[in-house]
Amino acid sequence: MHIKQETDMRKTFAIISHPDAGKTTMTEKLLMFGNLIREAGTVKGKKSGKFATSDWMEIEKQRGISVTSSVMNFPYKDYKVNILDTPGHEDFSEDTYRTLTAVDSVVMIIDATKGIEAQTIKLFKVCKMRGIPIFTFINKLDREGREPFDLLDQIEEVLEIETYPMNWPVGMGKRFLGILDRYNNQFVKFNGNDPESYIPFDDLHSGDYQAITEDTTFKETEEEMSLLDEAGDQFNIEKVLKGDQTPVFFGSALAPFGVETFFDTFIDLAPTPKARKTTEGLIDPIQEQFSGFIFKIQANMNPAHRDRVAFLRVCSGKFERGMTVTLPRTGKSFKLNQTQQFVASSRDTVDEAYPGDIIGIYDPGVYRIGDTLLEGKQTFEYDEMPQFPPELFKRVTAKNVMKSKQFKKGLEQLVQEGAIQLFTTYPMENYIIGAVGELQYQVFEHRMKHEYNVDVVFESVGERIPRWLKDQQVDTTLFDDRNLLVKDREGDFLVLFKNDFALRWFTDKHEDIALIDLFEVNQYNQA
Ligand code: G4P
């Protein structure tokens, strides 16, 4: 019973966006609601030079950006909120993608002045693939942006998801008056720097608010809203929970405006932890015995301690510090004594945790990303961690050949952490590193130097389109630099195509060779 109560209180989600759409600003506002911070500007100030409280690694401090995903948790109303931060800069990694395997829902922030941007599409694809419910916040309404109908059309067309506007903006930029909150039947009035005020729809036309209701923009918006009521899609929570419809909220994270209404509605609607797929069928979160999986491994978060921390999502039962768990991959058992919960930069010891919670466990080098940990005699494993296609590729060597032993060790360990992927050319064995973003190379270079004492040299292979070969019996003579044949860590062949043209040229010429896009494979595995 206790486990069910605790599980039903958990709301575990991530905020995704293209850089500069306002993720940090939004996170900050949410942390203020949770009383975790009192002052805006403490999470990250790019210009002021203040660093994110979630910046752990030295490289993050040097650059003032957030590389690693962090986790923040706080109580809000009747709930316990876990926000998983995803790296917010242009350069994100597989970590960002993987974080999405550990959440129950996602908040997608879109800049109203820009609409959907490249990174939103990539992150959205992963959510869609996993059927994660997506709540959309269209930000920066205090600026002149694109028309709301255009923005909805774009979401529907580009992301192929039904939209349901939970509120509808009355003007924008200088003419911004507020939002008609369709879900809570109230007009939320924008008062500039003063707090917003709320007027129930029923009272709006009572005569007391003529200054508002007689405004031309307001009248036009009311008409638009009746159009939406008549012709738009119906709100459908089942569709939302399956990831087929996204509730859309308009507002401004900076003002802040509409953020509290958004968060209250989101918290009510967002799903609590549900049963998850395993090798032995679905496992209910409220079952007695503890289980969870590792979605991220991070080394040296605190340079003073050369530790590795594995991030574990609790999926069922109750976690207690000191408990003994089994790792089904190896059959070995461990006692989990050193555990942490993450609240921005401080790391508190955690004594117990419930489904939906994320805890950090000390990793003496035995865990891998995707590992399941189980209490008692259970034997199942959570669904395999999907592999995500890297986009950038570089050849890597040690500057000093005498250091090749450390080089290999470092390479192996960093690859195991999963921020980068390792490939070897064939038949000549050269190392190629693939990553989702450029920053991962800088992190890799920095860590090889500081943790393994090896200077590395990169040689760019450029942006490439990776396609795995379905049939591994390949004629190696068909490949050259434009369609580079390499092997992945499992020894499977894939081809790194130089561009779309090279890919098309190859597929036209070799229709009999089946190529697989990893996104498609993942989608297939999830179905
Ligand atoms: P990110 O984490 O998604 O990269 O975005 P972030 O919150 O850092 O916001 C990017 C820029 O957009 C910031 O300005 C921020 O102040 C601004 N911004 C966020 N929300 C709103 C909004 O609702 N309205 C308006 N007008 N601007 C918004 P900056 O000048 O680039 O950075 P900073 O030095 O102020 O941090």
Side-chain angles (χ1 to χ4, degrees), residues 453-464:
N453 199 17
V454 182
D455 286 309
V456 297
V457 183
F458 291 120
E459 182 198 336
S460 179
V461 183
E463 276 187 42
R464 293 274 173 153

Side-chain angles (χ1 to χ4, degrees), residues 135-180:
F135 293 75
T136 305
F137 186 88
I138 299 189
N139 193 25
K140 307 197 186 180
L141 262 282
D142 55 315
R143 287 200 189 157
E144 282 307 321
R146 298 173 56 160
E147 283 302 318
F149 277 118
D150 278 357
L151 289 161
L152 293 191
D153 279 352
Q154 202 198 11
I155 297 174
E156 300 219 339
E157 263 166 44
V158 179
L159 303 180
E160 295 174 17
I161 187 168
E162 205 176 271
T163 56
Y164 179 85
M166 301 295 270
N167 65 44
W168 199 245
V170 186
M172 56 175 70
K174 289 205 178 73
R175 297 171 298 117
F176 185 54
L177 295 179
I179 46 175
L180 289 163

Side-chain angles (χ1 to χ4, degrees), residues 15-29 41 43-49 85-90 109 111 113-114 137-144 251-257 259:
I15 305 180
I16 60 170
S17 75
H18 192 82
D20 282 342
K23 185 164 68 70
T24 310
T25 312
M26 173 61 90
T27 308
E28 209 168 65
K29 295 294 159 6
V43 175
K44 180 179 68 176
K46 284 179 228 163
K47 284 179 193 147
S48 65
D85 187 18
T86 47
H89 218 250
E90 267 142 32
I109 300 193
D111 182 338
T113 65
K114 303 219 175 99
F137 186 88
I138 299 189
N139 193 25
K140 307 197 186 180
L141 262 282
D142 55 315
R143 287 200 189 157
E144 282 307 321
S252 161
L254 187 65
F257 179 81
V259 177

Side-chain angles (χ1 to χ4, degrees), residues 50-152:
K50 273 196 251 168
F51 301 119
T53 43
S54 57
D55 281 356
W56 279 314
M57 291 168 65
E58 197 187 334
I59 187 156
E60 293 183 298
K61 288 194 203 139
Q62 283 173 6
R63 291 165 207 275
I65 49 173
S66 174
V67 183
T68 52
S69 313
S70 56
V71 185
M72 286 157 269
N73 60 296
F74 56 87
Y76 186 71
K77 304 225 154 136
D78 295 335
Y79 296 106
K80 292 217 165 134
V81 173
N82 292 309
I83 308 182
L84 277 65
D85 187 18
T86 47
H89 218 250
E90 267 142 32
D91 309 288
F92 62 37
S93 67
E94 273 200 82
D95 258 8
T96 317
Y97 286 150
R98 288 208 191 94
T99 299
L100 299 176
T101 64
V103 299
D104 299 313
S105 60
V106 151
V107 172
M108 170 168 77
I109 300 193
I110 293 172
D111 182 338
T113 65
K114 303 219 175 99
I116 306 247
E117 296 172 89
Q119 254 180 60
T120 325
I121 301 177
K122 289 190 212 165
L123 290 161
F124 178 89
K125 262 190 177 180
V126 179
C127 297
K128 195 81 178 115
M129 172 179 105
R130 303 189 64 83
I132 302 173
I134 298 155
F135 293 75
T136 305
F137 186 88
I138 299 189
N139 193 25
K140 307 197 186 180
L141 262 282
D142 55 315
R143 287 200 189 157
E144 282 307 321
R146 298 173 56 160
E147 283 302 318
F149 277 118
D150 278 357
L151 289 161
L152 293 191

Side-chain angles (χ1 to χ4, degrees), residues 274-285 287 380 382-383:
K274 296 281 172 290
R276 283 183 170 246
K277 274 200 235 167
T278 75
T279 46
E280 292 173 15
L282 289 175
I283 293 293
D284 200 321
Q287 71 160 30
F380 62 81
Y382 280 98
D383 251 18

Side-chain angles (χ1 to χ4, degrees), residues 502-521:
L503 172 61
R504 259 181 287 130
W505 191 83
F506 186 88
T507 37
D508 285 350
K509 215 163 165 210
H510 304 285
E511 280 175 354
D512 52 319
I513 300 182
L515 301 170
I516 309 170
D517 178 352
L518 258 191
F519 263 123
E520 286 166 21
V521 178

